[in-house]
């Protein structure tokens, strides 16, 4: 995949994620409506591909105002990944020459790889993750399960032990999936399914759309630096 | 400006240590009094989760989940507030309580006093225990179109 195609796909997928977030925010947050309407309009322009450089700079400006308004990201990790994609795309368009553009987009790909690998690493060094207790605790008392019935999974330790190891191994092998096209494709299907399950069980729907928006950078990165 | 860049920095150089430890988990509880400080509503959890949700709802929430995402924002506010209480986080929490009271049918220009507390839930040995980490002042809240005191 060429860098131009990968960047365009990232812009479209990020725009979809931001449109979804903006519509949700407009329905639930009673202040800052003008900002969310602006972000919605800019996201539509980004999806269509009009004045992309200026649209991205506008979205960066809105993102900084929202960070100040909420004193941080509104939705933790998913917002952080959305901001990272946005800033890398803006840098790609603003930077003048090819090596710098590749650096900006390559940085995004590198961070996506790290997002899985580091998450796997910090889990596997924790004995509570290795024996399944951590995932039991998530279901038992954390704020994430979307219903009380789901807390019943805490009573299925064998299932949660298998799930814990499945998640840790998927996250840890993720960098090595870049060594083969088919392995990366299979890995991206698995990680998308992983985000989908997190959305169903823990209500983390924004992660699904924003992480998928980062996947074209990986496909380009693999073609350019690993297999190229 | 420096403060905004400080807030943006974790997005530019992220740590990605999702769920590295399962820390004690916050619950926001609130109670209400009338203006004469007579109890109107005993302590109750803000936005408790439902007993169950259907597969259809789970699927729909992939696209449309504003309420739950606001709940997740409240969780991070509660964690921030327990670590470092600020007017911002306290105001944001009180405002959501105010909105919920209004949506719950307490309308008009009635004034009430609202107080919230942050309870943290954790596992000790094989038991789930709750501890109070923060108790707010009583805030005067107008259950109409006005703001929080």
């Amino acid at each position: 995949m060429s860098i131009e195609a990968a960047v365009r796909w990232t812009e479209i997928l990020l725009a979809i994620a931001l449109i979804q977030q903006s519509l949700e925010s407009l329905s639930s947050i009673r202040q800052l409506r003008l900002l969310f309407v602006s972000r919605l309009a800019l996201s539509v322009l980004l999806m269509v591909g009009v004045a992309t450089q200026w649209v991205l700079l506008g979205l960066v400006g809105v993102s900084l105002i929202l960070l100040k308004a909420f004193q941080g990201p509104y939705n933790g990790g998913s917002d952080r990944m959305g901001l990272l994609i946005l800033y890398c795309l803006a840098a790609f368009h603003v930077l003048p020459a090819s090596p710098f553009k590749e650096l900006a987009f390559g940085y995004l790909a590198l961070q996506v790889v790290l997002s899985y690998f580091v998450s796997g690493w910090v889990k596997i060094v924790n004995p509570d993750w290795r024996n399944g207790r951590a995932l039991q605790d998530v279901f038992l008392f954390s704020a994430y399960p979307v219903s009380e019935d789901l807390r019943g999974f805490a009573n299925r330790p064998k299932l949660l032990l298998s799930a814990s190891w499945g998640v840790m191994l998927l996250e840890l092998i993720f960098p090595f999936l870049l060594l083969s096209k088919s392995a990366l494709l299979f890995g991206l299907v698995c990680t998308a399914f992983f985000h989908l399950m997190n959305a169903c069980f823990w209500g983390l729907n924004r992660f699904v759309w924003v992480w998928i928006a980062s996947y074209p950078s990986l496909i380009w990165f693999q073609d350019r630096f690993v297999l190229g | 400006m420096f403060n905004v860049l400080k807030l943006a920095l974790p997005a530019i150089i992220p740590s990605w240590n999702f769920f590295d430890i399962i820390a004690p988990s916050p619950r926001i509880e609130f109670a209400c009094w009338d203006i004469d400080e007579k109890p109107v509503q005993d302590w109750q959890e803000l936005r408790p989760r439902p007993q169950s949700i259907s597969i259809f709802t789970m699927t729909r929430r992939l696209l449309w989940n504003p309420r739950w995402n606001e709940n997740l924002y409240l969780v991070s506010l509660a964690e921030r507030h327990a670590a470092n209480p600020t007017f911002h986080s306290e105001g944001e929490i009180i405002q959501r309580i105010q909105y919920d009271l209004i949506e719950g049918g307490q309308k008009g220009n009635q004034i009430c006093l609202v107080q919230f507390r942050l309870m943290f839930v954790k596992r000790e040995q094989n038991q789930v225990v709750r501890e109070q980490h923060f108790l707010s002042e009583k805030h005067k809240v107008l259950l109409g179109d006005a703001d929080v005191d």
Side-chain angles (χ1 to χ4, degrees):
Chain A
M1 184 183 273
S2 70
I3 193 165
E4 290 78 14
V7 165
R8 187 70 199 111
W9 271 110
T10 308
E11 288 164 1
I12 293 168
L13 293 170
L14 178 68
I16 291 169
L18 291 178
I19 289 168
Q20 189 271 339
Q21 290 178 18
S22 301
L23 290 172
E24 278 194 352
S25 299
L26 278 168
S27 83
S28 62
I29 303 170
R30 301 186 188 197
Q31 319 95 320
L32 311 168
R33 284 183 179 269
L34 188 61
L35 275 176
F36 290 119
V37 170
S38 307
R39 191 172 70 169
L40 181 62
L42 288 167
S43 303
V44 171
L45 292 175
L46 181 65
M47 190 163 69
V48 177
V50 177
T52 304
Q53 180 176 329
W54 298 108
V55 165
L56 284 166
L57 290 176
L59 283 168
V60 169
V62 171
S63 79
L64 295 177
I65 300 170
L66 288 174
L67 277 173
K68 188 168 189 308
F70 295 114
Q71 286 297 295
Y74 181 74
N75 267 98
S78 61
D79 273 16
R80 286 208 181 101
M81 178 55 98
L83 291 172
L84 178 69
I85 298 172
L86 176 61
Y87 298 158
C88 288
L89 286 175
F92 174 86
H93 281 278
V94 168
L95 290 170
S98 176
F100 297 111
K101 285 180 184 288
E102 284 197 339
L103 199 65
F105 201 54
Y107 181 73
L108 171 61
L110 186 70
Q111 284 296 343
V112 180
V113 173
L114 286 175
S115 75
Y116 291 114
F117 183 76
V118 173
S119 295
W121 180 257
V122 296
K123 288 186 185 81
I124 207 160
V125 297
N126 180 344
D128 279 350
W129 270 102
R130 295 198 300 270
N131 64 27
R133 185 84 229 192
L135 199 50
Q136 266 184 288
D137 284 351
V138 174
F139 280 103
L140 186 65
F141 66 79
S142 85
Y144 291 102
V146 294
S147 72
E148 288 297 335
D149 284 353
L150 284 180
R151 294 205 184 280
F153 274 103
N155 300 321
R156 304 179 70 177
K158 282 182 185 164
L159 177 69
L160 295 184
L161 180 64
S162 310
S164 300
W165 276 99
V167 168
M168 286 188 290
L169 291 177
L170 175 64
E171 290 177 331
L172 286 169
I173 64 161
F174 194 83
F176 302 101
L177 301 177
L178 288 168
L179 296 172
S180 147
K181 263 186 189 294
S182 52
L184 180 62
L185 191 65
F186 176 71
L188 293 180
V189 170
C190 291
T191 50
F193 179 74
F194 163 68
H195 291 301
L196 195 70
M197 289 298 100
N198 289 343
C200 290
F201 289 136
W202 300 341
L204 303 174
N205 65 324
R206 293 185 178 194
F207 280 76
V208 179
W209 308 114
V210 87
W211 248 265
I212 286 175
S214 73
Y215 288 175
S217 69
L218 290 171
I219 296 168
W220 163 76
F221 187 86
Q222 183 187 48
D223 282 347
R224 176 72 178 83
F225 293 107
V226 185
L227 303 180
Chain B
M1 190 63 189
F2 177 72
N3 184 39
V4 174
L5 291 177
K6 210 168 80 177
L7 292 171
L9 202 61
I12 299 165
I13 309 169
S15 65
W16 305 129
N17 52 354
F18 295 123
F19 293 98
D20 52 344
I21 52 163
I22 311 304
S25 176
R27 305 285 187 276
I28 301 171
E29 295 182 346
F30 69 99
C32 298
W33 291 263
D34 67 16
I35 202 69
D36 301 319
E37 303 226 7
K38 287 181 193 156
V40 174
Q41 187 171 287
D42 201 5
W43 290 104
Q44 69 168 62
E45 189 177 340
L46 179 65
R47 304 191 181 181
R49 73 208 64 245
Q51 186 60 41
S52 63
I53 63 169
S54 66
I55 298 288
F56 173 77
T57 306
M58 275 187 187
T59 310
R60 179 176 54 77
R61 285 183 176 182
L62 279 172
L63 284 172
W64 191 248
N65 205 6
R67 180 85 167 173
W68 184 260
N69 281 316
E70 192 172 43
N71 292 354
L72 294 178
Y73 175 56
L74 281 165
V75 170
S76 57
L77 280 173
E79 286 169 343
R80 275 193 241 163
H81 199 71
N84 178 30
T86 63
F87 286 119
H88 174 268
S89 44
E90 185 146 346
E92 288 281 274
I93 291 169
I94 284 287
Q95 204 164 48
R96 265 68 184 184
I97 295 170
Q98 180 193 24
Y99 293 156
D100 282 14
L101 285 171
I102 293 169
E103 278 174 16
Q106 303 205 33
K107 296 193 183 206
N109 287 327
Q110 180 192 344
I111 293 173
C112 73
L113 299 171
V114 171
Q115 190 174 29
F116 73 87
R117 64 187 183 190
L118 300 178
M119 305 297 292
F120 275 72
V121 187
K122 63 179 179 179
R123 177 175 53 81
E124 271 185 3
Q125 306 298 332
N126 284 323
Q127 282 203 314
V128 175
V129 295
R130 292 155 48 88
E131 279 175 8
Q132 181 175 304
H133 275 236
F134 177 83
L135 180 66
S136 77
E137 298 291 314
K138 287 178 183 164
H139 291 259
K140 215 181 273 180
V141 166
L142 183 60
L143 302 177
D145 296 325
D147 287 329
V148 181
D149 188 17

